[in-house]
Amino acid sequence: GVHNESDSSQFLVGTTGPKKDNHLHLLDFDDSTFTLQSSLYGHTQEIWDIATCPFNEHHFFTTYTNDDGLLGSSLWQKDPEDHQEQTMSSRSDKSKDLKLLTTIPTTGMHKVLWAPCGEKSRIATVSDTSIALYALDAGNKDVENITTWEIENGKEASPWSVHNAVWSSHSDELIATYGSTVAGWDVRSNKATFERQRAHASNIRSVDYNPNKPHHIVTGGDDAAMRIWDTRNLTSPLIEVVNHTHWIRSVAYNMVHDQLILSSGSDTLVNLQSAVSVSSASYMGKSLDTDDDDESDSSMDEPRELPTDGLIKTYDQHEDSVYSVAWSHSDIWVFASLSYDGRVVVNRVPTSEKFKILGI
């Protein structure tokens, strides 16, 4: 999702065609008509990952296959004035140009992370065996390596690699998954914060950090399980959910209502899960109606239905593996999913669940 300042929900999607005719699509979701419009940007190389800047909606990194066949990452800027949207149905072959700001001087990374807090100029690159921290200069022209987290394989079976990583929004901590291990690293002290080996029965492909509750993360693995952890006590997960039948490719916390968690998998499904019992919300076992005012007749009203743990809804609009899910940064009830065949689907949280959460 794009961290835009407008009311519309925007998502960036890239293509991976082998003939160097790839593009970036800036998708703009119109909530009133439930339609998508697309602005097209040229990007020659195959795009494997996109990292939108949380502080500037016009800046983003792409990770791509360069001319030497290696993975590289570059920072781009789209023209703030150039947003003449084209509808998906009438999209032309004309694409807009992107301005190249800088390219990370190393190769081999498969993901870029922006620091969500602290100094806004920091980024991290995720490669097979390490996570490197960089600082951008004031003009976003040069990048300097600050430090690198060299990840040891421990007891992981060979071969192994870092599958995914996330940067905590509460502290300078990076969380990485490699093999079936999940581990943390304090950027400031350059020291490990925790490690949980065999956190899943097989590879962990996805991880996200709870935006509202420190020390809480969610992982998704090839064992089709989604697990929520408190990193201060990793003996066992707080919750395990098995609603997929194949690998979980992506997990994502809602940025405001962290009891809402998305997951997508190779079973072509997107699941919306409620995990209110381990969220920052305080619904479990509590009544939202604590007003003792006798002036109203509310005590005679039907009890209000509260959110509970469990599967809210399964979305089955895809026909291939769903590689990514992302929440909108403009509308907390909207999210998008992307499958291997290039299909993008935008959905909303069911109104009934929204009303439960809002206490309506």
Side-chain angles (χ1 to χ4, degrees):
V2 178
H3 299 256
N4 57 308
E5 297 178 357
S6 66
D7 293 332
S8 63
S9 298
Q10 293 182 350
F11 304 93
L12 266 178
V13 180
T15 63
T16 55
K19 296 183 179 180
K20 293 190 176 183
D21 57 352
N22 292 285
H23 294 90
L24 275 163
H25 297 264
L26 176 62
L27 305 179
D28 199 301
F29 174 64
D30 187 337
D31 187 67
S32 61
T33 60
F34 215 78
T35 56
L36 280 173
Q37 293 181 316
S38 173
S39 293
L40 197 64
Y41 294 88
H43 190 292
T44 304
Q45 300 93 342
E46 297 172 280
I47 303 167
W48 297 104
D49 189 70
I50 302 172
T52 59
C53 178
F55 315 110
N56 188 329
E57 63 179 289
H58 307 295
H59 290 175
F60 56 89
F61 273 95
T62 60
T63 300
Y64 52 85
T65 305
N66 64 22
D67 293 338
D68 296 324
L70 303 173
L71 289 175
S73 290
S74 295
L75 177 62
W76 306 89
Q77 176 181 294
K78 57 185 177 68
D79 190 339
E81 303 299 324
D82 192 9
H83 191 51
Q84 299 174 355
E85 298 162 343
Q86 309 157 35
T87 63
M88 293 292 288
S89 59
S90 61
R91 187 178 63 221
S92 70
D93 292 331
K94 295 181 179 180
S95 61
K96 305 174 181 66
D97 293 329
L98 294 170
K99 181 181 180 181
L100 175 63
L101 297 179
T102 190
T103 296
I104 296 174
T106 58
T107 57
M109 73 288 289
H110 52 79
K111 189 180 185 70
V112 173
L113 304 171
W114 288 90
C117 57
E119 298 176 25
K120 298 180 180 180
S121 60
R122 296 175 304 156
I123 59 168
T125 61
V126 183
S127 66
D128 285 346
T129 60
S130 64
I131 297 180
L133 188 68
Y134 290 88
L136 291 162
D137 68 1
N140 293 316
K141 296 296 183 181
D142 294 310
V143 288
E144 178 186 0
N145 180 234
I146 303 172
T147 185
T148 300
W149 177 17
E150 298 290 349
I151 299 174
E152 298 179 359
N153 65 349
K155 297 180 180 179
E156 288 295 331
S158 183
W160 67 275
S161 64
V162 178
H163 292 294
N164 215 324
V166 64
W167 205 322
S168 167
S169 57
H170 303 282
S171 61
D172 256 348
E173 184 182 28
L174 285 163
I175 314 297
T177 64
Y178 47 97
S180 61
T181 296
V182 59
W185 182 59
D186 190 306
V187 173
R188 296 162 298 183
S189 65
N190 201 17
K191 294 181 179 179
T193 53
F194 70 87
E195 182 183 66
R196 175 58 157 89
Q197 298 176 355
R198 290 184 287 276
H200 282 255
S202 51
N203 289 334
I204 305 172
R205 294 185 183 271
S206 52
V207 61
D208 198 15
Y209 208 110
N210 189 318
N212 301 331
K213 198 169 184 181
H215 310 293
H216 283 63
I217 62 173
V218 60
T219 56
D222 284 0
D223 54 2
M226 184 178 78
R227 293 178 171 179
I228 298 176
W229 304 86
D230 184 335
T231 60
R232 296 166 297 183
N233 183 0
L234 291 162
T235 304
S236 60
L238 300 174
I239 285 181
E240 179 182 72
V241 177
V242 184
N243 286 326
H244 287 277
T245 59
H246 208 259
W247 301 347
I248 293 181
R249 291 281 187 175
S250 181
V251 291
Y253 274 107
N254 187 283
M255 291 163 288
V256 176
H257 301 291
D258 54 283
Q259 65 266 48
L260 299 176
I261 307 174
L262 291 168
S263 63
S264 68
S266 299
D267 55 3
T268 76
L269 301 178
V270 174
N271 286 328
L272 176 61
Q273 183 76 24
S274 174
V276 67
S277 65
V278 290
S279 73
S280 62
S282 57
Y283 296 115
M284 291 296 287
K286 298 181 180 180
S287 171
L288 291 176
D289 188 3
T290 58
D291 190 358
D292 294 330
D293 189 353
D294 293 329
E295 292 182 6
S296 67
D297 224 69
S298 61
S299 61
M300 302 299 292
D301 294 343
E302 184 177 339
R304 183 177 298 163
E305 189 175 3
L306 305 179
T308 57
D309 287 358
L311 179 65
I312 297 172
K313 185 173 181 178
T314 293
Y315 300 83
D316 59 358
Q317 299 107 316
H318 292 280
E319 297 178 357
D320 214 325
S321 297
V322 186
Y323 276 27
S324 181
V325 286
W327 290 97
S328 165
H329 289 278
S330 300
D331 187 336
I332 59 174
W333 309 108
V334 170
F335 61 90
S337 52
L338 170 68
S339 55
Y340 176 77
D341 56 6
R343 176 179 294 183
V344 178
V345 179
V346 177
N347 280 295
R348 296 191 190 100
V349 174
T351 303
S352 58
E353 190 67 23
K354 175 182 176 180
F355 285 174
K356 289 180 189 177
I357 293 171
L358 296 178
I360 298 176

